[in-house]
Amino acid sequence: MRNRSAIALMANKLLDKLKALTKYDLWYYYDPQQYEEETKLLKEICTQAITEIATVWQESPDIKTWLKERATQHDNEYVRGAAVKELAQKFKDDPDTKTWLKECATQHENSNVRGTAVQVLGWNFKDDSDIKTWLKERATQDEKPNVRGAAVEELGWHFKDDPDIKTWLKERATQDYHEDVRRLAVQVLGWNFKDDSDIKTWLKERATQDYHEDVRYIAVRLLAHHFKDDLDTKTWLKERATEDENSNVRRVAIQELAKNFKNDHDTKIWLKERATQDDHWFVRGAAVEGLGWNFKDDPDTKTWLKECATQDYHEDVRGVAVQQLAQNFKDDPDTKSILKEHATQDDHWFVRRAAVQQLAQNFKDDPDTKSILKEHATQDDNYYVRSAAVQELAQNFKDDPDTKSILKERATQDDNYYVRGAAVQELAKHFKYQPELFDIYYNCAVDDSFERKKKDEPNPRRIALEIIIKQFPQHSQTLPLLRDRAKNDPDEQVREFAQKKLKQLEG
């Protein structure tokens, strides 16, 4: 039987193995937009590791203690959550598991740990006589909304057949002082009691009377989803789309109307009205999108989108119109001309970037597209547009002899770190393992002028360092470079990354 130190050692080895099997290195910024995907991946890895350890060593006398330590002491929230869940599942029949979970759910200083404990208690001990009363207590007495919300959800899903639960949930949906708890109560009620005679009226009340937009938003969604066949739903959605004071609520009402009532002859007319008359660009953009997707076969939609792409005063609405034209009317001879015009003449970077991206994705065979991309990659005064042009050039024209030269130039000479990082990333993606690029990466890793202002900014030095480790692990300069960056890089994130990789490479 293995002891706790052996379990911990094997756990670390397993975690490393799981990382090696994943599609992306957890810290490899090939694309800054992959951050959300990699966060999800990290959660999956941590969960898999804890689950595997708990399964393999379930019979070990030390595993329960080890899981409790991970659940309460580990600095990673995903590890803590996975450990709590494994304890509840693997040791459900252990007489002290429920007691320990209740203690964790009430006394632990971290609200995420308390919330997870509440969830697993609801799932694994829902048949216990006292669990409903205990969950109601957590739903009202915990100081944190995420814990109260977890208790509300567990009660709503597991005790929906209880005669008093609907009344209790309605109370939480109106009386809890935090919008997240009220929103969850509305959501559970909407899904589990949609067939009750009074639920439609009650949801309408929440959609108009709750003082927070998040609660009104979910009520509108639920009404549109469950009662789209009711004669008055369309009228009511139109009312919310025009009268609610919050743009996000108006937007969701417009989206639901476009999706659920696209066959009604007056929906198109009404969407056009909202696309021009609402005073918030967020709402107008939703109406433009709804028209583009749901009425693309209508002969005048294209004309209207062209007009919107040039005349709306807000860049986001023009950008959405440009995207809808490119995606739904790319065979129209005017679409390409409009995209070229917006790529070069629109005074806002958001529209120029959208036009550049749509040109590359839909008209890469046009000889002007490549020239426009090259021009924007080097001359546009906005770094978002330059970086988009760099990425599209690399992805669509990597065989053009100028592409690699432009990427090298942007990686070393652009005055913005975002563009330099994008160029380095694209070089590594599309020109892998080319020895001539080592110096580009090396000089970037050592000399790039990036200075961190925000936590999530992609540092070109780190990007370049990661590329070197992946593509040139045996190069004579790789280890010395890592040692230098681990000690001397001015960015703490780069130093920590280099130190971590050094430990892995040097054993």
Side-chain angles (χ1 to χ4, degrees):
M1 195 69 72
R2 291 177 171 87
N3 58 26
R4 287 171 59 197
S5 61
I7 293 173
L9 178 63
M10 291 303 295
N12 290 333
K13 287 183 178 179
L14 179 61
L15 189 56
D16 288 339
K17 181 180 179 182
L18 285 167
K19 286 180 182 178
L21 292 173
T22 56
K23 184 178 179 182
Y24 300 104
D25 186 294
L26 293 178
W27 304 109
Y28 197 32
Y29 273 93
Y30 261 141
D31 185 344
Q33 294 179 347
Q34 286 178 358
Y35 178 76
E36 184 176 345
E37 181 179 349
E38 293 181 354
T39 300
K40 181 180 177 182
L41 188 61
L42 176 60
K43 181 178 180 179
E44 290 174 358
I45 287 171
C46 292
T47 302
Q48 289 173 25
I50 294 294
T51 300
E52 188 70 17
I53 293 160
T55 302
V56 172
W57 287 290
Q58 185 172 352
E59 302 304 320
S60 169
D62 297 311
I63 191 64
K64 189 167 68 169
T65 302
W66 185 84
L67 284 171
K68 286 181 178 180
E69 288 178 356
R70 299 287 77 69
T72 56
Q73 298 175 23
H74 202 279
D75 59 359
N76 184 291
E77 64 177 296
Y78 304 132
V79 171
R80 294 195 303 266
V84 169
K85 289 176 182 177
E86 289 303 317
L87 269 164
Q89 292 170 11
K90 298 291 192 302
F91 300 96
K92 178 180 178 179
D93 298 327
D94 190 295
D96 68 341
T97 296
K98 188 171 76 164
T99 301
W100 183 87
L101 287 169
K102 283 185 174 181
E103 183 180 299
C104 196
T106 54
Q107 297 180 24
H108 198 278
E109 63 183 12
N110 186 283
S111 65
N112 289 328
V113 175
R114 297 200 305 276
T116 303
V118 165
Q119 288 175 328
V120 298
L121 276 161
W123 272 104
N124 294 287
F125 299 94
K126 57 181 178 285
D127 297 326
D128 285 21
S129 59
D130 65 335
I131 202 66
K132 186 177 74 168
T133 302
W134 184 86
L135 284 171
K136 284 184 176 181
E137 181 184 291
R138 289 300 87 209
T140 55
Q141 295 184 21
D142 197 282
E143 63 179 12
K144 291 293 185 178
N146 64 313
V147 183
R148 298 198 305 278
V152 163
E153 282 194 293
E154 295 306 314
L155 281 159
W157 290 110
H158 299 305
F159 298 94
K160 59 185 177 182
D161 296 327
D162 191 287
D164 67 341
I165 202 66
K166 186 172 76 166
T167 301
W168 185 87
L169 286 169
K170 285 183 176 180
E171 183 181 291
R172 290 298 88 211
T174 55
Q175 295 183 21
D176 196 281
Y177 64 84
H178 199 280
E179 63 273 11
D180 286 349
V181 182
R182 299 198 306 278
R183 174 180 56 81
L184 287 167
V186 168
Q187 188 167 307
V188 171
L189 277 160
W191 279 106
N192 290 312
F193 299 93
K194 61 181 181 287
D195 297 325
D196 284 22
S197 59
D198 65 335
I199 201 66
K200 185 175 75 167
T201 302
W202 185 84
L203 285 173
K204 285 182 177 180
E205 181 183 293
R206 290 299 88 210
T208 55
Q209 295 183 22
D210 197 281
Y211 61 83
H212 199 279
E213 61 270 17
D214 287 355
V215 182
R216 300 199 303 276
Y217 175 97
I218 196 64
V220 168
R221 277 254 189 243
L222 288 164
L223 277 159
H225 185 83
H226 295 310
F227 302 99
K228 61 185 176 184
D229 296 327
D230 281 24
L231 295 176
D232 63 341
T233 297
K234 185 174 75 167
T235 302
W236 185 85
L237 285 171
K238 286 182 177 180
E239 181 184 294
R240 288 300 88 212
T242 54
E243 295 182 14
D244 198 281
E245 64 183 16
N246 182 267
S247 61
N248 203 32
V249 179
R250 298 200 304 277
R251 178 183 173 88
V252 73
I254 281 174
Q255 289 172 330
E256 294 298 337
L257 273 163
K259 180 172 67 175
N260 294 307
F261 300 96
K262 61 185 177 183
N263 296 323
D264 286 21
H265 71 280
D266 62 337
T267 298
K268 185 180 71 169
I269 296 170
W270 186 85
L271 285 172
K272 286 183 177 180
E273 180 186 294
R274 288 300 88 208
T276 54
Q277 295 184 21
D278 198 281
D279 60 4
H280 200 287
W281 61 266
F282 196 52
V283 182
R284 297 199 305 279
V288 169
E289 198 169 44
L291 278 160
W293 282 116
N294 295 296
F295 298 94
K296 59 187 175 184
D297 296 327
D298 191 288
D300 65 343
T301 296
K302 182 173 60 178
T303 302
W304 187 87
L305 285 171
K306 289 177 183 178
E307 184 179 300
C308 191
T310 55
Q311 296 183 16
D312 196 280
Y313 64 84
H314 198 280
E315 62 275 6
D316 282 76
V317 182
R318 297 198 305 277
V320 170
V322 163
Q323 289 170 339
Q324 290 299 315
L325 276 169
Q327 291 168 15
N328 295 306
F329 302 97
K330 65 180 178 181
D331 295 329
D332 185 273
D334 292 337
T335 297
K336 186 166 59 174
S337 299
I338 290 171
L339 289 174
K340 288 179 181 179
E341 179 183 314
H342 281 284
T344 55
Q345 297 180 26
D346 199 282
D347 60 3
H348 199 279
W349 67 266
F350 182 85
V351 186
R352 295 199 304 277
R353 184 179 69 171
V356 162
Q357 290 171 328
Q358 296 302 323
L359 273 170
Q361 292 164 22
N362 294 290
F363 300 99
K364 64 181 178 182
D365 294 329
D366 186 280
D368 291 339
T369 296
K370 187 166 59 175
S371 299
I372 289 172
L373 288 173
K374 288 178 180 180
E375 180 181 316
H376 281 286
T378 55
Q379 297 179 28
D380 198 281
D381 60 7
N382 183 271
Y383 66 88
Y384 281 122
V385 182
R386 295 199 303 277
S387 64
V390 160
Q391 290 167 339
E392 297 297 342
L393 263 176
Q395 291 167 23
N396 295 290
F397 300 99
K398 65 179 180 181
D399 296 326
D400 185 277
D402 292 338
T403 295
K404 188 170 22 170
S405 298
I406 290 173
L407 291 175
K408 286 180 178 180
E409 178 190 290
R410 291 302 93 198
T412 55
Q413 297 180 28
D414 200 279
D415 61 7
N416 184 271
Y417 75 89
Y418 195 80
V419 183
R420 296 194 302 273
V424 169
Q425 290 164 355
E426 296 304 322
L427 280 168
K429 265 188 186 180
H430 300 288
F431 303 95
K432 291 181 179 179
Y433 309 110
Q434 295 192 9
E436 66 174 276
L437 296 176
F438 181 85
D439 286 344
I440 295 277
Y441 304 139
Y442 184 92
N443 292 333
C444 180
V446 175
D447 297 328
D448 191 272
S449 59
F450 173 86
E451 292 182 13
R452 184 170 299 284
K453 294 181 176 63
K454 296 180 180 179
K455 184 178 180 180
D456 60 349
E457 289 177 333
N459 184 341
R461 294 196 302 277
R462 175 165 162 167
I463 295 168
L465 190 60
E466 294 164 356
I467 291 166
I468 288 171
I469 294 167
K470 280 184 172 289
Q471 298 193 11
F472 302 95
Q474 305 303 321
H475 196 286
S476 60
Q477 292 178 275
T478 296
L479 271 177
L481 173 64
L482 260 179
R483 294 186 185 111
D484 173 71
R485 294 298 86 194
K487 183 178 180 180
N488 298 319
D489 197 279
D491 185 352
E492 182 182 0
Q493 288 188 20
V494 177
R495 293 197 305 275
E496 290 178 353
F497 171 77
Q499 290 162 10
K500 176 184 173 183
K501 289 298 180 182
L502 265 180
K503 286 181 182 178
Q504 292 177 0
L505 293 176
E506 295 181 329

